[in-house]
Amino acid sequence: MALARRERVFAANAAPGRAANIRPNSHRKQRQPLVSTAYPHLLAPLDLGFTTLRNRVLMGSMHTGLEDRAKHFPRLAAYFAERARGGVGLIVTGGFSPNVAGWVSPFASKLSSAGAAREHRQITQAVHREGGKIALQILHSGRYGYHPFSVSASRIKSPITPFTPRALSARGVDKQIEAFVRCAALAREGGYDGVEVMGSEGYFINQFLVTHTNKRSDAWGGDYSNRMRLPVEIVSRIREKVGRDFIIVYRLSMLDLIPDGQSWEEVVTLAKAIEKAGASIINTGIGWHEARIPTIATSVPRAAFAWVTKKMKGEVGIPLCTTNRINAPEVAEQVLADGCADMVSMARPLLADAEFVNKAAAGRAQDINTCIACNQACLDHAFQLKTASCLVNPRACHETELSYAPAAVKKRIAVVGAGPAGLACSTVLAERGHAVDLFEAGAEIGGQFNMAKRIPGKEEFHETLRYFRNKIAGTGVRLHLNRRVTAEELIAAKYDEVVIATGVTPRTPSIKGQEEAVRSGKVLSYVDVLLRGAAVGKKVAVVGAGGIGFDVSEFLVQEAGHSPTLDLKAWEGEWGVTDPAQARGGVARGKPQVEPPARQVTLLQRKASKPGAGLGKTTGWIHRAALQMKKVEMLAGVNYEAIDERGLLISYGEKRDNPQLLEVDHIVLCAGQEPLRELEAPLLAAGLKPHRIGGADVAAELDAKRAINQGSRLAATL
């Protein structure tokens, strides 16, 4: 398997750093550095002079929604404490604005008063009790602010918000700098070990750095030496205010990924100035939010941007942290061993598994619940103003109300179906002490995940299945493969509880000529294509443009066994990523280097809305762009009139205008699913009340997020 775990053992452990110098007013529990011969670079302490981080893992900033209200701080404290207990070297919070103008959205997270700083002590004290360190991220959204009070270098509206910012006067710029400084001082009052100044991703500071958004002609615009004054002033004034024994991380946009972004010479000049201004660590920022190049989705190769940080090595003397799509300890170790950076930032991987570092240190990397970079419960939730969580770990950000504590009464429980819902439910049940039998009709666990893992760009699903295989063994779940258990067997076994997690069956639309075409092999289901390996011709019509239709289309346009996700150079060529020393912002000039599609695919849907409208907010555009690069034709508002040996006859609208024959070799049906509940009626008739979870409960777009969450929450209550 291309994504098989690539353990590399190094002969010697890294030398330990000096003992941490603790401020007199702190009461942190100090723990011995973690040691593993497999990950000596990752687990080596990092000496910052005035303090020492216990390892090279930085938990990157993620907005969870818990930051926005002080009433949620107890939950935020529990969330961070669990990661500190899990061994993280330095935690960085979600972004807090230094003032109202910097809000991400109205009444979003902000730190601008002494009273607010006192509220933060419950967070910092919780982390310190676990021997961890935590920095508050100061994030000023600038023109990205989703509110009418936004400000920026110039009066230029962003493409991702409806509000046009007010251009700051010179005095106004100085007031924003003072807000950063005040926020940093308040963070120290709140017990934080440091701050991270958010200078990347297209936020306020970035907006001053490039001519694309800075049209000023005063001392804050024009020449780059003027445009870079803002971040240098912010860092130097913060350092002067907080003293020398306080961590300042600066998030530097090393690769803007927008046209007319910073040149590499400019980025290096800024990095050197930031070091001189007093920063402790430079963290790597990749891409503006408005950039049309994916940076953290599952289709992005692992550690795809570590080379950018490595390019900065030697230019500055302070530690450099690299980031983006580093989700396994062996990947992180290799990045550090190759000299790409001094630290690695992992954000979502620590949503997926709070014990990531401890498991790696204990030689239990196989037990890590790997982040699959799906964005469905983290970033998508954040953009929908919901509390963030994790598809593979529903406890993330819900630690205080979703407990897997030992059950008071141990039961015998049958779980039928080893798809995502059944896997989550059975393993949590067994973890809580129940005796669990997991029945699966197929030859392997995974259910619909066994199709998802075959989609180019979704290879990370292999890791989720590896995690559950180990979890089944570790918790003592009795797994019965190739076993289509009957209701009679379940009744006779006298289980205390029965959970139906049998999943779905494909829905088949009623199209004239369809049955005969199925018999001839011209019509296939998505299961035939993805799971059974059916041969598919060169011209294909895909019926149904939901998530499955997009997945099947992406599968069909790629050559068998080839995925750009596993080939960094091919991925960079397709998306136009290049060395920022060659092109400003790292955006390649000219046409993308896209491999010709393996097949000519037409993707159709009955709805008149944009195909893929129901896909994830942060990843839907990526899937549409990927198919457009492969010249997939997407048709909406289609009526399916008939199927014959030539192909598919379609028309448009209520009047069924413009009948058109799509001459294709095969038609693949991706028209939704129906729940599979054949066990429920006989169990109810026998007086049992089975629990339904996952697709067996609601068959909607193979929603693994809902399935795992539902299975886990049911298991926590039985």
Side-chain angles (χ1 to χ4, degrees):
M1 185 177 70
L3 279 178
R5 308 192 73 80
R6 301 177 296 278
E7 295 288 349
R8 177 172 175 176
V9 178
F10 295 87
N13 287 333
R18 295 201 300 270
N21 296 321
I22 307 303
R23 296 201 300 270
N25 64 343
S26 63
H27 302 281
R28 298 171 180 79
K29 175 169 53 179
Q30 294 301 301
R31 296 185 175 181
Q32 292 300 313
L34 300 168
V35 177
S36 169
T37 55
Y39 313 111
H41 297 82
L42 184 66
L43 300 176
L46 179 63
D47 185 2
L48 298 179
F50 60 91
T51 191
T52 299
L53 305 182
R54 56 186 172 184
N55 54 57
R56 305 305 177 97
V57 177
L58 181 146
M59 178 178 169
S61 175
M62 292 175 286
H63 195 78
T64 66
L66 299 176
E67 302 88 353
D68 296 333
R69 302 289 181 272
K71 68 180 182 180
H72 293 146
F73 281 10
R75 290 176 59 186
L76 192 60
Y79 160 71
F80 284 134
E82 192 157 302
R83 274 76 196 163
R85 190 162 54 250
V88 173
L90 176 63
I91 293 169
V92 179
T93 69
F96 283 84
S97 170
N99 56 18
V100 169
W103 267 342
V104 173
S105 59
F107 306 104
S109 52
K110 177 171 67 77
L111 177 56
S112 61
S113 70
R118 286 192 293 272
E119 295 279 7
H120 280 259
R121 284 195 169 274
Q122 61 190 300
I123 297 169
T124 57
Q125 288 170 0
V127 170
H128 294 155
R129 279 194 296 269
E130 300 299 340
K133 287 184 170 62
I134 184 166
L136 178 132
Q137 187 189 74
I138 308 175
L139 185 153
H140 190 307
S141 60
R143 74 178 193 146
Y144 280 174
Y146 207 88
H147 56 82
F149 313 116
S150 61
V151 297
S152 188
S154 301
R155 185 176 168 78
I156 302 173
K157 192 179 84 66
S158 90
I160 61 174
T161 52
F163 301 97
T164 301
R166 175 172 57 86
L168 288 165
S169 65
R171 184 168 176 268
V173 173
D174 198 66
K175 288 178 66 176
Q176 300 304 315
I177 294 172
E178 284 305 310
F180 274 88
V181 176
R182 182 177 65 249
C183 187
L186 290 169
R188 179 154 191 163
E189 284 184 31
Y192 287 97
D193 302 283
V195 293
E196 178 177 75
V197 177
M198 181 49 146
S200 66
E201 266 75 2
Y203 289 111
F204 180 69
I205 293 174
N206 249 179
Q207 293 159 26
F208 273 77
L209 291 171
V210 302
T211 55
H212 176 64
T213 47
N214 185 343
K215 306 296 184 182
R216 305 174 71 98
S217 58
D218 63 0
W220 302 100
D223 185 80
Y224 190 73
S225 61
N226 284 350
R227 300 200 309 272
M228 65 180 264
R229 278 187 64 204
L230 178 71
V232 176
E233 286 285 323
I234 288 171
V235 173
S236 62
R237 292 195 208 176
I238 287 176
R239 177 56 74 198
E240 182 180 2
K241 183 73 172 181
V242 300
R244 305 307 302 176
D245 60 340
F246 192 69
I247 299 169
I248 299 177
V249 182
Y250 183 80
R251 184 84 165 265
L252 176 71
S253 188
M254 292 196 194
L255 197 63
D256 289 337
L257 296 181
I258 59 167
D260 301 319
Q262 296 172 96
S263 70
W264 184 246
E265 182 182 2
E266 290 170 345
V267 173
V268 171
T269 299
L270 177 57
K272 291 179 176 179
I274 291 295
E275 177 183 28
K276 187 176 180 181
S280 313
I281 298 168
I282 290 178
N283 195 2
T284 303
I286 301 293
W288 288 36
H289 285 314
E290 62 201 73
R292 303 312 289 172
I293 296 170
T295 56
I296 58 173
T298 190
S299 58
V300 177
R302 289 179 171 186
F305 301 103
W307 62 269
V308 183
T309 314
K310 186 174 185 178
K311 193 175 177 67
M312 184 63 73
K313 290 284 283 183
E315 300 287 358
V316 294
I318 57 176
L320 295 176
C321 183
T322 195
T323 187
N324 288 41
R325 288 289 285 123
I326 299 170
N327 66 343
E330 67 271 15
V331 175
E333 175 67 20
Q334 194 66 59
V335 163
L336 296 175
D338 289 344
C340 297
D342 305 289
M343 294 188 76
V344 291
S345 173
M346 291 186 281
R348 295 169 303 165
L350 292 159
L351 273 179
D353 198 327
E355 289 285 317
F356 183 105
V357 179
N358 284 349
K359 287 179 179 178
R364 296 174 49 223
Q366 74 279 3
D367 294 331
I368 291 174
N369 196 0
T370 303
C371 167
I372 60 174
C374 67
N375 293 353
Q376 292 180 33
C378 50
L379 286 176
D380 284 355
H381 277 208
F383 279 102
Q384 295 163 5
L385 301 182
K386 298 178 181 177
T387 301
S389 189
C390 178
L391 181 147
V392 299
N393 176 25
R395 281 197 75 243
C397 301
H398 297 275
E399 288 80 7
T400 59
E401 46 94 10
L402 181 52
S403 171
Y404 299 161
V409 178
K410 306 299 190 289
K411 298 180 178 181
R412 291 181 61 248
I413 302 176
V415 179
V416 186
L423 290 170
C425 187
S426 61
T427 53
V428 172
L429 285 169
E431 184 179 336
R432 297 187 60 226
H434 296 298
V436 182
D437 285 298
L438 176 59
F439 297 95
E440 168 54 45
E444 59 181 334
I445 66 168
Q448 305 291 331
F449 274 11
N450 288 312
M451 288 182 279
K453 71 186 183 185
R454 290 176 165 81
I455 308 301
K458 291 192 174 183
E459 292 85 0
E460 295 290 10
F461 281 93
H462 283 285
E463 301 291 0
T464 305
L465 295 178
R466 178 265 310 151
Y467 167 76
F468 275 120
R469 280 193 292 270
N470 283 285
K471 192 74 172 175
I472 286 170
T475 57
V477 172
R478 291 184 292 274
L479 176 62
H480 309 273
L481 294 173
N482 295 306
R483 179 78 182 279
R484 186 176 292 277
V485 68
T486 66
E488 291 74 21
E489 289 174 308
L490 294 171
I491 294 165
K494 296 182 179 180
Y495 286 102
D496 297 308
E497 306 279 358
V498 175
V499 179
I500 297 176
T502 43
V504 298
T505 186
R507 181 188 298 133
T508 56
S510 180
I511 304 173
K512 182 180 178 182
Q514 176 180 313
E515 291 186 12
E516 183 178 342
V518 169
R519 287 193 294 271
S520 71
K522 192 174 190 71
V523 168
L524 304 168
S525 75
Y526 65 86
V527 178
D528 295 325
V529 174
L530 297 178
L531 201 58
R532 297 171 186 152
V536 183
K538 288 295 184 181
K539 293 184 178 181
V540 188
V542 176
V543 173
I548 302 165
F550 268 77
D551 278 354
V552 167
S553 298
E554 291 189 50
F555 178 82
L556 292 172
V557 295
Q558 296 287 357
E559 290 290 350
H562 175 72
S563 172
T565 307
L566 307 178
D567 183 343
L568 179 57
K569 289 300 179 186
W571 180 87
E572 289 176 337
E574 285 198 353
W575 288 99
V577 177
T578 191
D579 189 331
Q582 304 300 319
R584 279 188 169 272
V587 179
R589 299 181 180 89
K591 291 184 178 180
Q593 301 167 13
V594 181
E595 290 290 326
R599 296 176 179 83
Q600 180 183 324
V601 175
T602 304
L603 179 60
L604 310 102
Q605 70 175 26
R606 281 199 170 108
K607 295 178 182 177
S609 57
K610 178 173 64 176
L615 299 177
K617 185 174 180 64
T618 60
T619 54
W621 70 270
I622 301 172
H623 295 298
R624 283 189 290 271
L627 292 188
Q628 288 165 358
M629 284 193 290
K630 293 292 189 178
K631 303 187 185 308
V632 172
E633 186 178 14
M634 302 182 203
L635 304 178
V638 171
N639 302 306
Y640 308 119
E641 299 290 354
I643 298 172
D644 61 24
E645 68 279 359
R646 299 171 300 167
L648 176 63
L649 182 65
I650 62 173
S651 65
Y652 294 90
E654 293 182 4
K655 296 183 179 180
R656 299 187 178 272
D657 295 331
N658 305 317
Q660 173 186 354
L661 177 66
L662 299 179
E663 295 188 35
V664 294
D665 302 312
H666 286 98
I667 298 154
V668 182
L669 302 179
C670 305
Q673 304 81 33
E674 301 287 348
L676 193 58
R677 303 174 183 163
E678 59 190 26
L679 291 174
E680 185 175 44
L683 291 175
L684 288 170
L688 296 177
K689 294 183 178 179
H691 307 273
R692 289 195 322 234
I693 58 174
D697 182 40
V698 179
E701 283 299 327
L702 305 184
D703 190 346
K705 179 184 70 173
R706 178 180 50 78
I708 292 175
N709 184 51
Q710 194 177 20
S712 300
R713 287 182 178 273
L714 173 64
T717 63
L718 293 180

